[in-house]
Amino acid sequence: MKTEYLDKGSINRAAELLSAGELVALPTETVYGLAADAYNPDAVAATFAAKGRPADHPLIVHLSSVQEMAFWAASVPQEAWDLANRFWPGPLTLLLRKGKRVPDVITGGRDTVALRLPAHSLFLLVLKRLGRAVTAPSANRHKRLSPTSAGDVRRELDGCISGVLDGGDCALGLESTILDLTAAPRILRPGPISAKEIESCLGQAVEQPVAHSVAVAGNLREHYRPQAPVWLVPAGSLDRVVGEVQSARLGVLHLPGNRPTIGNCIEMPPSAVDFGARLYRQMRDLDESGCEAILVEEPPADVSWAAVHDRLRRAAMCTASEARAINEVLQSSAVGAG
């Protein structure tokens, strides 16, 4: 299959491909999504094959209007309308009881459906031209880093999908917040919309468990991973850990003022929003530069960093306090390369 690379003026072509049952990567404000016509079960099923994604891992339906919730959900609680009117278009996904017409292929056979209305202008134009909703998980191989540029999609899925609409770099760089509204509101995946913002809108407390067993996008222990192993390093411990690892082919993402003496070092922004926007980009760059391992200095424990901590926990093999284990891995890879 030849993948078409479309510029921002190719809205009609992107919609045409989707209407024909093809897969097209589209830019959102979070990450690039692999879109399929949500009304075409065969097209949706092809998404799982292209990504290597398990069929029981539910997809998010991307709507073109707030009113479309009523079609996809069995019922829409007032909280959902309030949140949609406040945060849509935007990076908030709502988990509701699914309507009878929702295909099982979208929900993994579960009785819930995840809905959101993306904020990227090109995505919205494609939806308007297509005239119906799409499913759109991240446009990458299963468990890999989500793509934040059209070039990332090319490296992941070239030849496996029909098109990529280039909308430039994604503004937020982390996936949407997923909020479960099937019972008391709780965040199942932290993201750009915080618990505090949701609580302010709803006027009630919102749960935010660190771990849970609900099947939603991104809720796998191993996820958002580059090829190189990732280890988290306690703040202020980089020099010690880097010294114990003793490898020049080490990638390091560090906080301002904490640059270690060796390794391929990238200083990350001090704010949670900016750190999150650059996280996948910098990990992908280090990965593609040939680093044998990537050390990430742990950011502050403040709740504003919840989404960043979630992605780092899923990307990391273990904590970097086990520096001797890192050294063993690097030595093993050096032996294997010979």
Side-chain angles (χ1 to χ4, degrees), residues 118-284:
H120 199 288
S121 60
L122 294 185
F123 201 115
L124 292 173
L125 286 171
V126 172
L127 287 178
K128 183 177 180 180
R129 179 67 181 84
L130 181 65
R132 49 192 181 272
V134 299
T135 54
S138 56
N140 59 296
R141 299 290 184 182
H142 185 52
K143 295 187 179 182
R144 292 289 308 278
L145 289 173
S146 296
T148 57
S149 72
D152 295 344
V153 181
R154 179 191 294 267
R155 287 185 284 273
E156 291 275 339
L157 296 175
D158 186 50
C160 299
I161 62 177
S162 292
V164 179
L165 181 63
D166 191 345
D169 293 342
C170 298
L172 299 177
L174 292 182
E175 299 80 2
S176 64
T177 302
I178 298 180
L179 181 70
D180 183 3
L181 289 178
T182 61
R186 62 172 174 163
I187 291 176
L188 301 181
R189 181 177 69 185
I193 305 299
S194 69
K196 184 177 180 180
E197 291 174 293
I198 294 170
E199 288 173 341
S200 176
C201 178
L202 296 181
Q204 62 179 298
V206 174
E207 296 179 51
Q208 188 168 334
V210 173
H212 60 83
S213 59
V214 182
V216 293
N219 189 36
L220 295 173
R221 171 60 190 91
E222 300 175 1
H223 215 139
Y224 312 117
R225 289 190 163 186
Q227 298 277 26
V230 175
W231 283 273
L232 303 183
V233 182
S237 301
L238 275 176
D239 272 328
R240 176 179 60 80
V241 174
V242 168
E244 292 179 8
V245 173
Q246 297 178 353
S247 171
R249 295 181 61 192
L250 198 63
V252 181
L253 301 182
H254 65 93
L255 300 172
N258 295 338
R259 182 183 179 88
T261 53
I262 63 173
N264 185 355
C265 303
I266 298 175
E267 180 175 302
M268 296 296 285
S271 78
V273 172
D274 293 338
F275 190 109
R278 289 180 57 187
L279 178 59
Y280 292 160
R281 169 82 281 124
Q282 304 297 11
M283 284 205 291
R284 189 180 292 273

Side-chain angles (χ1 to χ4, degrees), residues 1-23:
M1 176 187 298
K2 182 179 180 180
T3 300
E4 295 184 38
Y5 289 88
L6 310 172
D7 61 27
K8 61 183 180 181
S10 302
I11 301 300
N12 287 346
R13 179 55 178 162
E16 179 182 291
L17 288 169
L18 288 167
S19 184
E22 303 293 338
L23 304 181

